Amino acid sequence: MNAESLEGEDRPGHTGYNYAYLDEQTKRMLRRALLKAVAIPGYQVPFASREMPMPYGWGTGGVQVTASIIGPSDVLKVIDQGADDTTNAVSIRKFFANTAQVTTTTSSERATIIQTRHRVPETALSDGQILVYQVPIPEPLRWLEARESETRKMHALREYGVMHVSLYEDIAHHGRIAKSYDYPVLVEDAYIMRPSPIPKFDNPKLDNCPALQLFGAGRERRVYALPPYTRVVSLDFEDHPFDVETWEESCAICGAQDSFLDEVVTDDKGGRMHVCSDTEYCNKRLAAQGRQEATA
Amino acid sequence: MTEIPLLEVESLTRRYGRRIGCQDVAFTLWPGEVLGIVGESGSGKTTLLNCLSGQLPPSEGRVSYLTRDRGAVDIWEISEAQRRLLLRTDWGLVHQTPSEGLRMGVSAGANVGERLMAVGARNYGEIRTEALHWLDALEVDRGRVDEFPDAFSGGMRQRLQIARNLVTRPRLVFMDEPTGGLDVSVQARLLDLIRRLVSELSLSCVIVTHDLGVVRLLAHRLLVMRQGEVVEAGLTDQVLDDPQHPYTQMLVSSILPV
Amino acid sequence: MTAISQDPSIMMEVKDLAKTFTLHAQGGTEIRALRGIDLEVRKGECLVLAGPSGAGKSTLLRCLYGNYLPQAGSILIRHEGEPTEMIGAEPRSILAMRRRTLGFVSQFLRAIPRVPTLELVMEPLLSQTVPKDEAESRSVSILRHLNVPEHLWGLAPATFSGGEQQRVNIARAMIFEYPIMLLDEPTASLDQENREAVLDLIASARDRGAAMIGIFHDQGAREAVATGVFTLSSRKEAA
């Protein structure tokens, strides 16, 4: 995070762009917004979102946040729904390898910055790491109130009863809280926040997390943040407490029973299997099993 | 009488630029009293209601409300947060058009339960029980608790809106043409229901309407408004049966007997 | 000093009462309906208003109930033991007087709410915090007394015959033992049997000590209940 000292014209890989693609003024503006976001956990800070060389919905918010904080000494990991090897993850990783000359990795432990779309890694994060979320819709109150002026006022006055109205509706119609991703949370007993479309399975990982968590919404032009060790509580009712998904199955590849599983259809005869959504976690377990077998 | 007024309004004026919305209105509302504000459209009655109910800041004057916990406060002196809280708890606001006062995208039960959740109720079962209780009280079929408001008729929607307001047991309810836009027979039944609830719950009400039949049935007292000013005030039957001001006489004589 | 404050048996004292109607729609025409009315009525008295049609009998009764607004004079009523001025009183004070002290019986049921008959009759008692079962048993007995058929009690009176409506109205007006009662032709258009039943109620109210002022068109009714007569002369000249 010392891009200021890197006048990058002479660095390899540059083709007329500033270091990490964005100009220094833009990065400074973003960092100011992020500082404010860190100072007020869960509060949405507006910023002047730039056009990025990718369409909205592909992580323009996350990429801008990453660009504003990254430096050559950083090690970057990018995941898309837990996977390191999808198109989106690969191209964002390449983008920063190219424009910011950073080392990239698939290891959650080695990474200093992890940009993610819709998952939190299974591997516990640690002090000093930064998790950057790509956010499509930052406003938790948007579903019922279209006016930004009104939602800002509702946040300011903590008029959050309506959030429970949406949970009430779930129970009334489905007998339980059916919302399974982008599950709203209350941050430090103050702001209600959307955790981005991560499965609610990941919500407990947000609470008291040692890593800094930054959220960027490019189209909606908002950033927000959870500083390390912030209290994050998922909304619920006393008689319908928050819980996370569990599976009867275990991962068909690594046998994990504690990770978030994706259901994969394997043929056109109804065959299917469950595998870890976090590819790194799965590979790591597999490698460890291989070593065990080798030593056995 | 050692009773303290619930609402005290002094020289309340609201201007829109140079135009007068309402001017120099003063009255006192006592606990359990139902005040009707009548006048033609454009007479300033809705402006007045908005100034009283914390929706529209007045240009001059004060609206003093006797809170449960802090004595009398000027509702335009307290913070917006406190004012909005008042409007969600100790007050009710019934709009003429139910869709303005309801969340059309959520079920009847959620509409009724919302205020409870807004003040911290976090037990689904209790919220639902309370919602059902208020559907019963408003004579809405409890079997429809999970239906959306668009599935309800106009009269039923209005009942739903009233239930949504009463769930926090407010002491003061503002109503803007509560039976406007409904069929006559539906209107009559709704009025009887409101009349019964107002008396059973000892509600204080401010009802704005152009319909003298509504105030004849519901209001203890009337303010007659014309061009932003109160031209006559008094006991409902006295104002309607022996109107003093030329405008009131015109108003009373221009309707069918009520 | 007013007489009412000297003599506790006086329930209502009217002094120099004047009522003028100003018809703004007709060029401000003034109709002097009443002028210089002085009267008093005591416990157990029934004062019958007499005078030709248009003399202002009904207007006077409505002024005494606070329904019409007099221009001048004084109406003192004994409300909860204290002589209380009605003219210029706040609406809620007048409503309190009507709730506890002042009953009004008319032949018309105004603005009939769609409430079942029995509940309608119970209402004045319930608003006085009379327990519900007592209110109900008293309502049942007065409805029986007035020959309102039992199968109608659960229905709203809007669909009843004129006579039935009138009797429901009388039941509602007389269920509570008001210290002062104003009667505006309570027996008009009733058949003989029901007329007797109503007069019976009025006489027993009078005998328990109610002070009454009434308009009765038929001579028999007047003779049955009156203890005195107050005559109004015709006064229709415009100012």
Side-chain angles (χ1 to χ4, degrees):
Chain A
M1 288 217 286
N2 48 352
E4 293 286 358
S5 60
L6 294 160
E7 292 306 321
E9 287 83 8
D10 54 331
R11 295 186 66 90
H14 265 256
T15 50
Y17 288 113
N18 189 35
Y19 179 77
Y21 185 75
L22 292 174
D23 64 88
E24 292 306 312
Q25 285 302 328
T26 297
K27 288 195 273 184
R28 191 173 292 132
M29 172 271 293
L30 259 157
R31 286 194 290 263
R32 280 201 194 101
L34 288 170
L35 281 173
K36 186 169 178 181
V38 167
I40 319 171
Y43 173 75
Q44 300 165 49
V45 184
F47 77 104
S49 183
R50 299 289 191 251
E51 290 291 327
M52 297 302 286
M54 59 178 71
Y56 287 128
W58 289 68
T60 52
V63 166
Q64 288 180 81
V65 168
T66 301
S68 73
I69 59 169
I70 204 163
S73 59
D74 277 313
V75 179
L76 179 70
K77 170 182 164 81
V78 181
I79 51 174
D80 179 0
Q81 301 209 329
D84 295 278
D85 52 5
T86 59
T87 313
N88 195 218
V90 171
S91 50
I92 291 174
R93 210 156 50 225
K94 276 190 180 161
F95 176 78
F96 281 112
N98 192 23
T99 61
Q101 296 85 48
V102 289
T103 312
T104 60
T105 181
T106 58
S107 161
S108 296
E109 277 155 16
R110 279 192 57 219
T112 57
I113 300 173
I114 303 171
Q115 183 173 329
T116 175
R117 175 174 173 270
H118 304 184
R119 269 316 305 276
V120 178
E122 305 290 1
T123 308
L125 300 175
S126 56
D127 288 320
Q129 289 185 303
I130 302 176
L131 189 57
V132 177
Y133 294 80
Q134 300 172 196
V135 179
I137 299 167
E139 179 50 72
L141 301 167
R142 186 64 69 224
W143 69 280
L144 63 98
E145 179 53 65
R147 290 169 296 176
E148 176 72 12
S149 60
E150 190 62 19
T151 54
R152 291 183 78 87
K153 189 171 280 177
M154 290 164 84
H155 280 295
L157 303 179
R158 295 184 193 168
E159 290 181 2
Y160 287 143
V162 289
M163 291 308 300
H164 276 85
V165 169
S166 74
L167 302 184
Y168 172 98
E169 281 297 86
D170 263 14
I171 303 172
H173 295 296
H174 308 293
R176 63 191 172 83
I177 300 174
K179 193 162 184 56
S180 58
Y181 64 93
D182 213 351
Y183 191 104
V185 293
L186 179 64
V187 178
E188 287 290 342
D189 288 322
Y191 288 100
I192 298 251
M193 188 191 95
R194 282 178 95 133
S196 88
I198 58 172
K200 68 177 179 175
F201 181 88
D202 287 340
N203 269 25
K205 298 177 190 164
L206 270 60
D207 181 37
N208 207 32
C209 175
L212 169 64
Q213 303 174 77
L214 303 176
F215 297 79
R219 184 179 44 213
E220 302 287 325
R221 303 187 175 94
R222 293 288 184 278
V223 290
Y224 50 103
L226 297 171
Y229 303 106
T230 298
R231 210 161 90 80
V232 179
V233 179
S234 303
L235 304 184
D236 62 2
F237 287 106
E238 292 159 7
D239 46 350
H240 287 268
F242 174 79
D243 61 357
V244 298
E245 302 90 328
T246 52
W247 290 265
E248 312 246 315
E249 300 82 359
S250 45
C251 174
I253 299 171
C254 75
Q257 292 175 315
D258 60 350
S259 80
F260 186 84
L261 300 181
D262 284 336
E263 193 176 324
V264 182
V265 176
T266 50
D267 53 36
D268 55 2
K269 301 185 191 74
R272 56 195 62 216
M273 63 178 194
H274 288 79
V275 295
C276 288
S277 118
D278 186 334
T279 53
E280 182 229 355
Y281 184 71
C282 199
N283 291 336
K284 212 164 61 178
R285 282 178 51 87
L286 215 53
Q289 285 161 16
R291 277 196 303 280
Q292 270 171 17
E293 275 167 31
T295 51
Chain B
M1 301 196 198
T2 50
E3 245 186 327
I4 308 170
L6 196 60
L7 194 67
E8 268 187 298
V9 179
E10 286 168 35
S11 52
L12 196 73
T13 297
R14 168 71 203 198
R15 292 185 210 89
Y16 299 101
R18 292 166 72 188
R19 204 163 58 76
I20 299 289
C22 64
Q23 188 163 29
D24 208 19
V25 177
F27 67 87
T28 302
L29 187 75
W30 298 89
E33 233 179 3
V34 178
L35 175 73
I37 301 176
V38 296
E40 296 167 323
S41 50
S43 61
K45 54 193 195 310
T46 297
T47 295
L48 175 58
L49 189 81
N50 288 341
C51 289
L52 299 178
S53 60
Q55 318 276 302
L56 180 73
S59 312
E60 281 162 37
R62 48 193 297 270
V63 179
S64 166
Y65 176 70
L66 184 68
T67 58
R68 286 181 202 250
D69 48 350
R70 283 171 299 148
V73 297
D74 184 337
I75 66 140
W76 290 106
E77 294 285 317
I78 58 178
S79 69
E80 187 179 11
Q82 289 171 320
R83 194 157 53 238
R84 284 169 68 124
L85 182 66
L86 206 53
L87 202 53
R88 282 202 312 270
T89 54
D90 216 15
W91 287 4
L93 179 59
V94 176
H95 298 267
Q96 173 174 4
T97 317
S99 58
E100 277 177 48
L102 289 171
R103 288 197 193 285
M104 300 304 280
V106 302
S107 68
N111 265 289
V112 178
E114 178 176 340
R115 274 175 168 236
L116 296 174
M117 294 182 244
V119 294
R122 292 293 176 264
N123 187 297
Y124 173 82
E126 287 168 17
I127 293 164
R128 194 163 173 88
T129 304
E130 197 64 8
L132 289 168
H133 165 80
W134 285 102
L135 292 184
D136 290 345
L138 271 295
E139 296 168 9
V140 177
D141 177 8
R142 53 162 55 206
R144 304 187 68 183
V145 63
D146 293 330
E147 290 180 30
F148 292 94
D150 355 32
F152 288 72
S153 66
M156 284 295 151
R157 275 189 210 176
Q158 195 57 295
R159 286 162 190 243
L160 206 53
Q161 191 192 182
I162 294 170
R164 173 178 159 88
N165 274 280
L166 294 184
V167 70
T168 50
R169 291 158 209 266
R171 293 186 301 162
L172 176 58
V173 178
F174 299 97
M175 300 191 193
D176 189 1
E177 305 274 10
T179 59
L182 298 177
D183 293 346
V184 177
S185 63
V186 175
Q187 245 182 37
R189 278 200 299 278
L190 184 61
L191 278 177
D192 294 332
L193 186 60
I194 294 175
R195 180 178 177 273
R196 182 168 62 73
L197 285 171
V198 162
S199 111
E200 279 176 10
L201 304 171
S202 313
L203 292 177
S204 302
C205 289
V206 177
I207 300 176
V208 158
T209 180
H210 68 278
D211 186 340
L212 299 185
V214 169
V215 287
R216 168 80 83 181
L217 200 61
L218 294 180
H220 298 125
R221 289 161 54 200
L222 291 187
L223 300 181
V224 182
M225 292 194 70
R226 184 192 181 217
Q227 293 174 3
E229 291 184 60
V230 175
V231 295
E232 184 161 354
L235 203 61
T236 300
D237 60 280
Q238 183 260 298
V239 171
L240 295 181
D241 294 342
D242 185 18
Q244 307 293 306
H245 191 275
Y247 176 73
T248 317
Q249 290 189 357
M250 191 275 287
L251 208 61
V252 170
S253 65
S254 60
I255 56 152
L256 297 167
V258 288
Chain C
M1 252 330 194
T2 52
I4 192 170
S5 58
Q6 306 289 304
D7 181 348
S9 74
I10 298 179
M11 294 304 288
M12 177 180 265
E13 180 180 5
V14 178
K15 279 262 177 269
D16 207 23
L17 187 74
K19 172 65 195 165
T20 304
F21 293 100
T22 308
L23 306 179
H24 292 285
Q26 292 164 38
T29 306
E30 293 202 338
I31 298 169
R32 290 194 183 179
L34 300 170
R35 205 161 45 167
I37 303 288
D38 294 299
L39 63 80
E40 56 186 54
V41 57
R42 293 162 192 270
K43 280 181 190 160
E45 281 185 350
C46 180
L47 194 63
V48 169
L49 301 181
S53 174
K57 299 187 293 293
S58 206
T59 299
L60 174 56
L61 222 47
R62 284 161 173 268
C63 286
L64 300 182
Y65 195 58
N67 180 229
Y68 282 180
L69 198 68
Q71 270 65 40
S74 154
I75 301 168
L76 284 166
I77 70 164
R78 189 171 300 284
H79 174 58
E80 314 207 295
E82 293 299 313
T84 310
E85 178 60 61
M86 277 188 78
I87 297 182
E90 271 196 65
R92 69 190 198 111
S93 307
I94 293 181
L95 289 175
M97 294 180 216
R98 287 181 181 180
R99 198 158 50 241
R100 303 195 156 273
T101 304
L102 207 53
F104 191 92
V105 184
S106 91
Q107 52 178 317
F108 303 109
L109 194 55
R110 305 204 61 160
I112 317 160
R114 270 141 294 256
V115 172
T117 296
L118 190 63
E119 282 177 34
L120 201 62
V121 175
M122 284 164 66
E123 218 174 55
L125 292 179
L126 295 177
S127 76
Q128 308 268 14
T129 65
V130 172
K132 196 164 181 186
D133 33 343
E134 188 194 331
E136 186 165 336
S137 67
R138 281 167 66 179
S139 303
V140 163
S141 77
I142 198 166
L143 286 169
R144 284 222 172 94
H145 180 81
L146 290 168
N147 305 309
V148 178
E150 192 161 345
H151 68 269
L152 296 179
W153 297 356
L155 306 174
T159 54
F160 296 1
S161 74
E164 284 159 355
Q165 286 195 10
Q166 189 179 344
R167 281 175 282 142
V168 171
N169 197 23
I170 289 166
R172 179 176 155 87
M174 300 203 65
I175 182 96
F176 178 66
E177 295 171 343
Y178 296 100
I180 305 172
M181 303 206 64
L182 307 170
L183 313 167
D184 189 358
E185 302 197 45
T187 56
S189 69
L190 289 180
D191 62 25
Q192 185 62 28
E193 185 194 354
N194 286 315
R195 208 169 60 100
E196 295 299 332
V198 171
L199 290 175
D200 206 40
L201 279 180
I202 293 170
S204 65
R206 183 198 60 202
D207 293 344
R208 68 162 160 83
M212 306 178 127
I213 300 178
I215 303 168
F216 294 91
H217 275 162
D218 85 283
Q219 188 63 34
R222 235 179 283 182
E223 279 164 8
V225 296
T227 62
V229 174
F230 182 86
T231 306
L232 290 127
S233 51
S234 183
R235 236 197 276 265
K236 288 228 75 173
E237 75 276 19

